[in-house]
Each structure stands twice: as C-alpha cells, then as structure tokens.
Amino acid sequence: MAIKKYYDSDCNLGVLDGKTVAVIGFGSQGHAHSENLAESGVNVVVGLRKGSAHWAKASEFAATHDNFKVMEVEEAAKAGDVVMMLVPDELCADIYNTQVAPYMTEGKALAFAHGFNIHFKQIVPPADVDVIMIAPKGPGHIVRRTYEEGQGVPDLACVYQDASGKAMDIALAYACGIGGGRAGIIESTFKTETET
C-alpha cells in the first residue's frame, strides 16, 4: 500500500469555518491542540471539570483569545461539532460514556489522538457520526512550541467511521490547524496506530 502524505497545500482549513471544535482535556496534548487551533482561527471550546487544575490555565489563554472558551465537559460536548477526546486512555471511556455520548448527535465528528479506546471497543460511537484520529508524533509542549515557531510536528490522520463522507477532510483540516500540515500528515488507520 502506498503511503499517502499531505501538507498544508493539500488541506482545507476552511472545512472548520463556522464549526466549533470541543477539546476535552487540557493536559499535554489538550493545551497544544486547543491553543494551536484557536491561533489558526478555529472556534474552540475546552471541556474541563470546574475547579480542576487546568481550569485557571485554560481561562488565562481564553482571556486573550475571543474564539476560545472554557466550559464544563457536558457543555463543551454539546457545543462541539468536532469533539476531540484528549484525556488519559484509562479515563477516556468513562468520561465519554457519562459526559460526552449524550451529545454525539448525527453529523458531528468524534476525534482522538490515540486509537486505543476505539480499536479495543472501550468506546462504541453512534453510526451517524464521523470517527477520526489526528495523532501528532510528539509530546504536547513540542506540538505547541514548533507551531509558535512557524513549524509543526508530523501527524497521523485516520478515519475509523466516515458517516458524512467528509471525515478525512475534517481530520486533515484539524491536523493543519495544529501545525501538522507544515511538517507532513501521514494517512494511517486506528489499528496500525494503536498496535505500533
């Protein structure tokens, strides 16, 4: 199988125009994804537990960016057209099932940065949503720093479920929004990403 690679010129960030990306979690990857997306002009909401350690940090960034808001997980999941799960794997299924799943309605996209919970069926998404992965090949502080320097970290982009017929377009737009298109985006699968 030929490896498909994409760069900024192959992606359309405009796919996310008028949409809201909800990033659930604000740890290593969560802060990098949400801040990079916001600075790429995407509307971002960050879903956190009120009073959590990251609430103040995320609010500090929100104070200087009109297109970036902090809210509780359920509120963010409801607001998001694309919902990116960036919480630890061992907590992800529980948070998804109790706080996110009720808001995963037809036409939305559910996103991950690691395939574990989908590949091992810890999370079973509804059939009418896209399920995608955008996995930067570096820790969050590097994803953020390289973006701020005008560069990026290579990303994997994967589609598990293409309900809209546009799942890969959404994944590529997201990857570009976090800087991946500057370094290169490689198409892969949830199975390959998880097992390797």
Side-chain angles (χ1 to χ4, degrees):
M1 176 175 110
I3 294 173
K4 282 193 185 168
K5 288 182 274 190
Y6 305 89
Y7 295 92
D8 278 345
S9 58
D10 305 306
C11 307
N12 177 11
L13 189 57
V15 166
L16 298 176
D17 286 354
K19 294 189 186 307
T20 296
V21 173
V23 175
I24 310 302
F26 198 70
S28 173
Q29 290 291 333
H31 93 275
H33 286 229
S34 59
E35 291 177 4
N36 291 3
L37 285 166
E39 290 182 356
S40 291
V42 177
N43 287 321
V44 176
V45 296
V46 173
L48 295 171
R49 193 178 72 252
K50 198 154 203 159
S52 71
H54 295 299
W55 188 282
K57 267 192 208 164
S59 297
E60 207 175 287
F61 187 85
T64 58
H65 294 78
D66 292 340
N67 59 333
F68 187 99
K69 293 181 176 46
V70 186
M71 48 187 67
E72 295 200 50
V73 173
E74 292 89 344
E75 209 183 340
K78 189 176 182 182
D81 300 292
V82 178
V83 180
M84 170 57 96
M85 299 297 297
L86 290 177
V87 294
D89 279 336
E90 64 274 14
L91 306 176
C92 193
D94 187 47
I95 290 169
Y96 173 80
N97 290 322
T98 59
Q99 297 176 275
V100 175
Y103 306 103
M104 288 312 301
T105 50
E106 182 178 354
K108 288 193 174 195
L110 179 61
F112 298 87
H114 179 40
F116 179 89
N117 277 283
I118 291 292
H119 182 61
F120 291 110
K121 310 236 180 297
Q122 303 301 299
I123 291 174
V124 180
D128 56 3
V129 302
D130 291 333
V131 182
I132 58 178
M133 183 181 1
I134 303 91
K137 297 291 91 191
H141 67 279
I142 302 292
V143 174
R144 181 67 180 140
R145 191 188 78 217
T146 56
Y147 177 91
E148 290 179 301
E149 292 168 351
Q151 298 168 33
V153 168
D155 290 3
L156 296 181
C158 315
V159 173
Y160 179 81
Q161 187 167 283
D162 189 4
S164 69
K166 297 182 175 131
M168 184 52 90
D169 294 339
I170 296 166
L172 291 173
Y174 186 111
C176 280
I178 63 171
R182 299 167 178 177
I185 304 159
I186 299 168
E187 190 173 340
S188 186
T189 66
F190 274 68
K191 180 182 190 324
T192 300
E193 189 277 340
T194 305
E195 293 179 353
T196 56

